[in-house]
């Protein structure tokens, strides 16, 4: 297949649009066009990522799908090209390797601008060879409306001071659209029309992207549609991650996969309620709040979640309800399903890495009780460090799994 990379040969200024593009949407396209006009670039080269180091554990849609969607989305703009350079490169893909390869193709005086989301640029000092990278190309951080510019600016200022280089950031209102939201909408069977080009929408439908066989059941559609309206986008994604992880663990440990998936989906169904809503619903559902929960009301969400799952999502299976109920505190003598939800919550692929996550992940697939011990220890230590009172259920769970 011809790589459109060679078209940049004679350009004085090129903009590189790097991203996962899972899927590409109008926000990306508007951002690329805006930056192209502002800097006066002759070409924008879209480079879908290969295996970036920071997405080590995350499931992203197949490289070929992301590449083809990017080609479809950019086909009608003569200034836009797409390159396979990262997806064809074996091993981890680092931006520095990409820019070095581009420099070999371009004339020595060609200016290279790297456009990407501000969140990604925030982390730039953790990338491979940041110093060289910041010297050989200009960075353009594109932000969504409402983005916390303050912290970005402080971070950018540090980078500027440390490296004596210039970084630009441009707010793109169309970036209110996000790939995460589009994937969530597909799961929740909501419309994605007008968020991305028709061709990309048709492609997603044709290849059934962002769905699994489980999600095709009307019952899961009902749950997902309801959750999509009450949870924040981040929490909704986490919920999907926990459900997937729980289903995988259930397969390994001989537990009913659909029950695990259901409990995973619903485990945080009460988490985004306000304090007032939580208190009112606890009172309506006769949930007694002990002294520890009264002080840390966040702990109530698992007990309340089980009741909401029963009343509003019509779950009658007590194993599922208990897995939701004890997913935050744990308890002694948990069922395998309860352990699976507790652990899936801590290790799902989208979880921000924390010290010990890999150890818990490994143990969850080798020895459930050992994983529970490690996970409870980590949670108790973490909360003790924050001077929080540990719930008696967690202490008795820890005591129990210390001897297992
Ligand atoms: P990401 O974590 O998927 O995205 C971070 C945020 O930025 C998301 O909100 C995303 O929104 C947005 N975003 C990403 N690319 C964008 C773009 N081109 N235009 C507008 N918004 C964009 O980040 P990523 O996509 O994996 O990585 C971004 C780029 O940084 C890639 O080229 C990657 O290779 C590079 N990178 C390199 C290293 C390294 O060399 N070590 C490390 C990290 C990242 P959407 O979800 O809506 O796109």
């Amino acid at each position: 297949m011809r790589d459109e990379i060679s078209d940049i040969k004679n350009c004085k200024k090129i903009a590189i649009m790097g991203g996962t593009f899972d899927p590409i949407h109008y926000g990306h396209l508007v951002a690329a066009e805006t930056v192209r006009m502002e800097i006066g670039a002759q070409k924008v080269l879209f480079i879908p990522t290969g295996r970036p180091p920071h997405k080590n554990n995350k499931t992203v849609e197949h490289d070929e799908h992301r590449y083809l969607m990017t080609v479809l989305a950019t086909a009608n703009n003569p200034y836009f090209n797409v390159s396979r350079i990262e997806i064809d490169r074996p091993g981890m893909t680092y931006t520095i390797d990409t820019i070095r390869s581009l420099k070999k193709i371009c004339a020595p005086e060609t200016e290279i601008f790297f456009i990407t989301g501000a969140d990604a640029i925030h982390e730039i000092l953790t990338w491979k060879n940041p110093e060289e990278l910041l010297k050989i190309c200009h960075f353009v951080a594109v932000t969504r409306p409402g983005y916390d510019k303050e912290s970005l600016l402080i971070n950018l200022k540090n980078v500027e001071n440390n490296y004596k280089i210039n970084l630009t950031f441009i707010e793109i209102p169309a970036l209110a659209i996000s790939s995460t939201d589009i994937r969530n909408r597909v799961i929740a069977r909501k419309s994605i029309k007008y968020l991305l080009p028709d061709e990309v929408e048709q492609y997603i439908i044709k290849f059934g992207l962002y769905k699994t066989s489980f999600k095709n059941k009307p019952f899961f559609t009902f749950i997902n549609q309801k959750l999509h309206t009450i949870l924040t986008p981040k929490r909704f994604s986490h919920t999907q991650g926990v459900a997937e992880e729980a289903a995988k663990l259930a397969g390994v440990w001989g537990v009913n996969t659909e029950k695990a998936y259901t409990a995973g989906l619903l485990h945080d169904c009460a988490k985004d309620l306000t304090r007032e809503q939580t208190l009112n619903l606890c009172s309506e559902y006769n949930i007694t709040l002990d002294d520890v929960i009264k002080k840390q009301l966040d702990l109530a969400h698992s007990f309340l979640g089980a009741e909401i799952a029963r009343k509003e999502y019509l779950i009658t299976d007590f194993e599922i309800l208990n897995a939701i109920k004890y997913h935050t505190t744990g308890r002694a003598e948990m069922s395998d399903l309860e352990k699976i939800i507790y652990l899936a919550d801590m290790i799902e692929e989208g979880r921000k890495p924390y010290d010990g996550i890999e150890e818990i992940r490994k143990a969850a697939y080798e020895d459930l009780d050992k994983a529970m011990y490690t996970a409870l220890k980590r949670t108790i230590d973490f909360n003790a460090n924050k001077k929080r009172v540990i719930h008696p259920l967690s202490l008795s769970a820890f005591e129990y799994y210390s001897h297992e």
Side-chain angles (χ1 to χ4, degrees), residues 12-288:
K12 288 204 171 73
K13 277 186 185 177
I14 54 161
I16 308 302
M17 184 73 177
T20 313
F21 305 133
D22 194 22
I24 190 161
H25 52 69
Y26 280 132
H28 298 128
L29 297 168
V30 172
E33 184 67 0
T34 308
V35 177
R36 180 184 76 78
M37 295 295 288
E38 267 194 35
I39 63 175
Q42 284 82 44
K43 280 279 177 204
V44 179
L45 188 63
F46 284 72
I47 305 189
T49 55
R51 278 145 300 278
H54 64 299
K55 294 256 165 93
N56 220 354
N57 285 300
K58 250 190 175 156
T59 311
V60 288
E61 203 46 80
H62 195 277
D63 293 349
E64 221 52 51
H65 285 316
R66 293 185 293 110
Y67 168 74
L68 287 171
M69 287 189 283
T70 310
V71 170
L72 285 172
T74 54
N76 62 5
N77 187 328
Y79 299 105
F80 288 178
N81 284 24
V82 187
S83 172
R84 301 178 58 87
I85 184 170
E86 289 202 353
I87 56 172
D88 284 346
R89 189 185 304 144
M92 291 289 175
T93 37
Y94 297 102
T95 302
I96 185 71
D97 299 331
T98 306
I99 304 291
R100 281 180 190 151
S101 306
L102 296 178
K103 281 200 99 51
K104 282 185 198 149
I105 298 170
C106 303
E109 65 277 11
T110 304
E111 278 187 273
I112 301 179
F113 292 78
F114 190 88
I115 317 166
T116 197
D119 282 350
I121 289 196
H122 237 306
E123 308 286 319
I124 198 160
L125 294 181
T126 66
W127 297 12
K128 189 176 157 193
N129 298 10
E131 210 162 335
E132 180 187 347
L133 197 52
L134 288 161
K135 259 187 211 140
I136 61 177
C137 66
H138 306 271
F139 275 81
V140 183
V142 285
T143 64
R144 322 202 116 97
Y147 187 82
D148 177 7
K149 275 186 227 153
E150 287 295 299
S151 70
L152 175 73
L153 278 174
I154 293 168
N155 198 17
L156 292 192
K157 263 276 155 282
N158 289 340
V159 175
E160 281 177 324
N161 292 340
N162 288 345
Y163 293 97
K164 314 251 175 303
I165 40 88
N166 267 318
L167 296 166
T168 313
F169 81 97
I170 302 178
E171 185 177 293
I172 308 287
L175 273 178
I177 302 169
S178 84
S179 302
T180 307
D181 177 53
I182 291 174
R183 294 195 301 274
N184 288 347
R185 283 171 169 272
V186 175
I187 294 166
R189 300 290 159 87
K190 294 198 172 165
S191 171
I192 55 171
K193 230 175 223 331
Y194 312 123
L195 300 174
L196 32 61
D198 284 347
E199 295 81 353
V200 179
E201 184 196 357
Q202 292 311 317
Y203 188 97
I204 291 171
I205 295 168
K206 179 171 176 185
F207 291 99
L209 304 189
Y210 313 119
K211 286 193 223 156
T212 69
S213 55
F214 273 118
K215 292 168 198 158
N216 293 334
K217 292 198 165 191
F219 178 57
F220 292 120
T221 305
F222 156 73
I223 294 182
N224 275 321
Q225 281 183 336
K226 214 163 147 56
L227 288 177
H228 190 257
T229 55
I230 59 162
L231 299 181
T232 62
K234 210 168 158 195
R235 180 103 46 222
F236 185 84
S237 298
H238 166 65
T239 287
Q240 301 300 320
V242 173
E244 297 287 351
E245 191 77 51
K248 272 196 266 170
L249 283 168
V252 170
W253 296 110
V255 169
N256 183 306
T257 325
E258 283 199 32
K259 281 192 190 187
Y261 190 79
T262 310
L265 278 185
L266 289 171
H267 80 289
D268 268 352
C269 66
K271 182 107 179 177
D272 283 340
L273 298 173
T274 62
R275 189 180 163 78
E276 201 184 353
Q277 287 169 325
T278 302
L279 289 171
N280 287 343
L281 282 169
C282 283
S283 147
E284 187 181 332
Y285 294 156
N286 294 322
I287 297 171
T288 319

